[in-house]
Amino acid sequence: MSSMLSGLNPQQREAAKYLDGPLLVLAGAGSGKTRVITRKIAYLATECGIDARHIAAITFTNKAAREMRERVSELLPGRQGKGLTVSTFHSLGLQILRHEAKRIGYKPRFSVLDAADAQQILADILKTVDKATLRQAASVVSNWKNALLAPQAALLAAKDEAERQSAFAYQAYQDTLRAYQAMDFDDLIRLPVELFRGHPEALETWQSRLRYLLVDEYQDTNGAQYELMQLLAGVAGRFTAVGDDDQAIYAWRGADVENLRRLSEDYPSLKIIPLTQNYRSSQRILRAANSVIRNNPRLHEKNLWSEHGLGDHIELLQCRDDRHEAESVALRISAHKFECRTRFADYAILYRGNHQARLFEEALREAKIPYQLSGGQSFFDKAEIKDLTAYLRLIANPDDDPAFIRAVTTPRRGIGAGTLEKLGDHAGQRHISLFAATFETAFQTTLLERQLEPLTTFCDFINRIADRAEKEAAGSLLEELLAAIQYEEWLYETEDDRAAKAKWMNVRDFVDWLSKKGSEDGKTLIELTQTVSLMNLLEGRDNEEVDAVRLSTLHAAKGLEFPHVYLVGVEEEVLPHRECMEGTRLEEERRLMYVGITRAQRSLVISFCARRKRGGEIVACEPSRFLDEIDASEVRRTGAGGVESAEVKEDGRRRLSALKAMLSK
């Protein structure tokens, strides 16, 4: 047997070795899918004559790509793994577009706008600052792009006036992006598909460059990603897709579980290999998960099993209200940790929505239990910090087009969309940055004096600050910058007083920190900007694990595992969510419950409340329908209103005796 395949179970080994056509690996939760992918890459590179530079492993998050890359580097050290592509779909799309930009009318140094920049463009088009309206418009445009629907096609497909107006906004939005020589996140998939459809020679180049594809978390793909994979894999279907229809929980952001069904239709020779042995959880936890998920219609039946023993009963904990729930969980974690000599990092509290976190944070702080909040907003992602860093980036590098667009429009300074569109057109034709294009005579002659003057004034200001940034103290220069752009005044003009004050405090904290760092380390503003950019890129990449309880939404917890899990707020209208009580949306909520259960390795407590505070009112709650779907023999009920069995009471007495014995030593 190949050394690369040693240690794999029979199904994993079959999946790693199979090369006779397209392959779908149905990898149940905790079944070792990453192990299969990494071993298959190593097997392809060492025993099948496919050079690593011709293999691409595609996943959905930078974290997953980084972990996969690290694992492969252990199997393929040195030159063996040279040139291997391990990336997200969007990173791969970006790589393709950088190489092929000129074929689709872009310069290679095009800008990629984030969600906030994209929403600002939509705000200008729709003449509104209402956040809900802008989020809805951005979602509609994103869904059209993910479905590979061009603006004209969206207009033709419009069923009513509202959809027609959305399609017009989509067209204007795309025209603006093109003029800015910019793309948004969805374009990084959509445009490579358009490129390959319209330029067969480009497709041929990339098919010969990437001769075998491995796609992780396949159930999370959308229509555009499916098409991109199909094009790159070619008619022979040179790919292994690894996914699990039972863990498809991202329909709300465009993922389409139907892509699993489409594979069988588009590739009649598709081989399907299920991975059902779970290496994570006890048998009871898996039985509970299986009993819940079998209530969904499924493409492929599979029952997870484990050799980890029967394990503890799953505890269904009834609480009086949401505050009692939070306090009970904190108390239980504290007692369990003391009794079992565990670490705080062994525990996770999982919930349906971010709004549920606050009471648990309060209870954990009260109990002096350290915790880590997943999915919270990074300081550097706050709009006001991004505004200021846009100026710093532009001062350090005037060719940074996204920074230019953000800085020149925040605060507004009389430079209209029409002026910026002309600037974008000129920069695109000349293949230069927007900043450089401003000073070209050929561009300046296309504008009226009143249009040109605020633009050149802004660029001259950036140049003056840049000249001084190499020499003068960072602190005083930053204060001068803030005063010159009148950022504080602009905040109070565009936000309510409370929000403006909070944002200005963040700006002050940021500037004070930079000033202090500049003074202590003797760094110029340019050097500090490079430090900030690096911090921004690396933030959240520290692999050193913190010993703290993990608080996380169920969506953010996918892919993680913990010895002890508390799945909280499992009530009707919470999980399942009140807007997802029927049809395919209810099925997705059930998959979310399944994901929550299968995060647990050794123990699982599921809690629910008799009443809960909602919108300032106390409302009565019903236990989630999903609790009735768990086999009664796998659970024990405890808590307020729960009738505790003799077994539960005896277990409590036994644990109390053990605690007393420990304390007496």
Side-chain angles (χ1 to χ4, degrees):
M1 185 197 299
S2 160
S3 61
M4 291 303 173
L5 305 182
S6 62
L8 299 182
N9 69 35
Q11 290 73 32
Q12 290 174 330
R13 197 176 310 119
E14 184 186 9
K17 286 182 72 173
Y18 187 80
L19 287 172
D20 294 337
L23 171 66
L24 172 61
V25 180
L26 281 171
S31 62
K33 68 182 177 67
T34 306
R35 186 177 176 83
V36 169
I37 293 170
T38 52
R39 293 300 182 98
K40 185 157 192 168
I41 291 169
Y43 180 70
L44 289 168
T46 57
E47 309 208 13
C48 301
I50 303 177
D51 199 291
R53 64 197 167 92
H54 294 311
I55 302 169
I58 309 168
T59 187
F60 276 81
T61 66
N62 289 321
K63 180 173 179 283
R66 188 168 64 251
E67 288 173 358
M68 198 176 289
R69 202 176 294 114
E70 286 166 2
R71 288 212 214 176
V72 173
S73 67
E74 292 170 9
L75 297 170
L76 296 176
R79 296 189 62 80
Q80 279 186 308
K82 189 174 173 58
L84 174 72
T85 297
V86 182
S87 74
T88 64
F89 266 105
H90 293 92
S91 296
L92 178 62
L94 182 61
Q95 184 187 341
I96 292 166
L97 292 168
R98 292 277 187 226
H99 279 87
E100 310 290 347
K102 287 182 180 176
R103 289 189 201 265
I104 54 170
Y106 276 85
K107 58 178 184 176
R109 293 179 63 178
F110 58 81
S111 307
V112 180
L113 304 187
D114 65 15
D117 292 330
Q119 281 197 19
Q120 183 57 57
I121 293 171
L122 283 169
D124 292 339
I125 291 165
L126 297 171
K127 304 286 190 290
T128 181
V129 291
D130 180 66
K131 288 184 171 62
T133 302
L134 292 174
R135 273 198 302 271
Q136 173 64 19
S139 174
V140 168
V141 168
S142 178
N143 288 339
W144 276 333
K145 288 191 175 191
N146 290 337
L148 298 170
L149 208 63
Q152 280 303 111
L155 189 58
L156 289 171
K159 298 185 190 73
D160 53 37
E161 187 55 29
E163 287 191 11
R164 278 175 55 78
Q165 291 307 315
S166 294
F168 282 129
Y170 178 20
Q171 182 68 67
Y173 173 73
Q174 277 310 107
D175 291 344
T176 305
L177 286 187
R178 171 70 69 164
Y180 281 4
Q181 282 289 293
M183 299 176 189
D184 64 17
F185 205 53
D186 297 313
D187 287 331
L188 299 182
I189 310 296
R190 181 183 69 88
L191 289 175
V193 171
E194 282 192 9
L195 165 78
F196 290 151
R197 283 174 172 176
H199 298 271
E201 69 285 3
L203 176 59
E204 199 174 312
T205 298
W206 283 91
Q207 283 178 340
S208 64
R209 185 177 296 188
L210 304 176
R211 294 178 194 167
Y212 199 88
L213 302 181
L214 300 102
V215 182
D216 191 15
E217 303 288 7
Y218 178 76
Q219 76 281 349
D220 295 337
T221 55
N222 59 37
Q225 288 160 339
Y226 179 83
E227 185 90 5
L228 181 59
M229 184 198 80
Q230 259 198 320
L231 286 162
L232 286 170
V235 290
R238 304 181 314 274
F239 67 82
T240 293
V242 182
D244 181 8
D245 51 327
D246 292 335
Q247 296 187 74
I249 59 172
Y250 293 116
W252 53 276
R253 69 179 191 200
D256 188 357
V257 71
E258 284 298 304
N259 284 348
L260 282 163
R261 196 189 312 277
R262 286 177 67 190
L263 266 188
S264 299
E265 293 166 358
D266 292 343
Y267 297 95
S269 64
L270 180 74
K271 171 87 168 172
I272 299 174
I273 300 175
L275 303 182
T276 54
Q277 182 174 358
N278 174 285
Y279 293 90
R280 175 187 299 161
S281 307
S282 70
Q283 289 176 40
R284 274 211 167 98
I285 289 168
L286 295 180
R287 284 179 193 168
N290 288 333
S291 65
V292 168
I293 202 64
R294 72 169 60 104
N295 289 280
N296 266 2
R298 299 158 84 192
L299 289 171
H300 306 279
E301 284 298 321
K302 59 182 180 300
N303 244 21
L304 295 183
W305 60 279
S306 155
E307 294 180 341
H308 283 329
L310 191 57
D312 295 340
H313 280 89
I314 289 156
E315 187 175 346
L316 298 189
L317 172 63
Q318 182 177 340
C319 303
R320 291 189 302 274
D321 54 38
D322 42 0
R323 187 168 292 280
H324 177 231
E325 179 184 44
E327 290 166 353
S328 298
V329 169
L331 189 65
R332 281 161 177 267
I333 289 173
S334 196
H336 191 274
K337 180 181 183 296
F338 178 77
E339 182 184 348
C340 300
R341 295 288 190 260
T342 51
R343 302 178 312 138
F344 287 119
D346 291 336
Y347 301 87
I349 301 171
L350 309 181
Y351 37 79
R352 176 64 176 82
N354 274 312
H355 65 279
Q356 292 169 260
R358 184 180 61 81
L359 288 177
F360 289 96
E361 287 192 75
E362 287 177 10
L364 293 172
R365 280 201 299 267
E366 184 70 26
K368 296 183 170 51
I369 295 173
Y371 65 88
Q372 198 172 24
L373 200 61
S374 284
Q377 189 186 34
S378 153
F379 182 75
F380 290 101
D381 279 339
K382 293 181 185 294
E384 59 274 21
I385 302 305
K386 290 176 83 168
D387 288 343
L388 197 50
T389 52
Y391 279 89
L392 300 183
R393 283 164 46 198
L394 190 59
I395 289 163
N397 173 21
D399 288 334
D400 186 335
D401 282 359
F404 177 91
I405 291 166
R406 188 164 193 134
V408 81
T409 56
T410 314
R412 284 283 177 197
R413 48 177 52 80
I415 301 167
T419 301
L420 291 175
E421 282 177 28
K422 287 181 180 177
L423 181 63
D425 281 339
H426 184 81
Q429 289 164 14
R430 296 271 292 115
H431 302 294
I432 58 176
S433 72
L434 297 168
F435 194 93
T438 301
F439 295 101
E440 293 213 333
T441 306
F443 164 69
Q444 292 187 354
T445 55
T446 66
L447 297 182
L448 300 170
E449 180 59 32
R450 61 183 171 78
Q451 294 173 305
L452 180 62
E453 193 271 331
L455 189 60
T456 53
T457 298
F458 169 77
C459 292
D460 287 338
F461 166 70
I462 295 295
N463 274 333
R464 285 197 304 276
I465 295 281
D467 287 341
R468 296 165 58 196
E470 294 279 17
K471 308 180 281 285
E472 298 182 24
S476 58
L477 209 52
L478 277 168
E479 297 293 353
E480 195 176 319
L481 172 67
L482 280 176
I485 67 174
Q486 298 182 311
Y487 192 78
E488 184 180 13
E489 293 90 328
W490 179 76
L491 278 178
Y492 278 95
E493 284 169 11
T494 55
E495 304 276 355
D496 62 57
D497 282 1
R498 188 175 170 186
K501 185 178 180 183
K503 291 187 173 195
W504 180 244
M505 292 273 290
N506 286 334
V507 169
R508 286 301 338 162
D509 286 347
F510 184 53
V511 169
D512 292 346
W513 174 76
L514 281 175
S515 301
K516 186 180 177 189
K517 197 161 183 61
S519 175
E520 288 176 353
D521 300 350
K523 286 190 171 180
T524 66
L525 193 59
I526 298 293
E527 290 168 326
L528 281 174
T529 299
Q530 291 162 344
T531 303
V532 170
S533 295
L534 193 61
M535 284 181 66
N536 204 359
L537 285 168
L538 298 180
E539 193 177 37
R541 290 184 57 172
D542 187 359
N543 289 325
E544 190 179 330
E545 190 185 348
V546 180
D547 187 23
V549 174
R550 179 73 68 95
L551 285 177
S552 175
T553 63
L554 287 162
H555 285 102
K558 187 163 158 300
L560 305 178
E561 56 187 63
F562 306 91
H564 310 288
V565 168
Y566 290 81
L567 180 50
V568 301
V570 185
E571 300 140 25
E572 290 289 287
E573 300 196 355
V574 179
L575 180 66
H577 191 275
R578 61 181 172 275
E579 293 176 9
C580 308
M581 303 293 274
E582 55 188 34
T584 57
R585 298 185 78 177
L586 178 63
E587 289 168 17
E588 180 149 330
E589 294 292 298
R590 186 175 282 111
R591 292 195 289 267
L592 207 50
M593 178 76 175
Y594 173 84
V595 165
I597 293 171
T598 54
R599 297 314 92 197
Q601 295 170 322
R602 293 201 287 279
S603 77
L604 173 64
V605 178
I606 302 175
S607 64
F608 57 96
C609 300
R611 55 188 179 274
R612 172 178 297 278
K613 197 168 186 179
R614 188 179 295 155
E617 292 182 19
I618 303 294
V619 297
C621 303
E622 282 182 52
S624 170
R625 68 192 70 190
F626 301 148
L627 298 182
D628 291 333
E629 296 173 357
I630 299 175
D631 189 329
S633 65
E634 310 300 345
V635 304
R636 65 180 191 187
R637 294 176 177 270
T638 60
V643 181
E644 299 194 2
S645 66
E647 182 190 349
V648 171
K649 289 177 180 175
E650 178 55 36
D651 184 53
R653 282 192 286 271
R654 191 172 62 249
R655 291 171 71 181
L656 185 60
S657 298
L659 274 173
K660 285 178 179 174
M662 286 168 65
L663 289 168
S664 66
K665 284 181 182 177

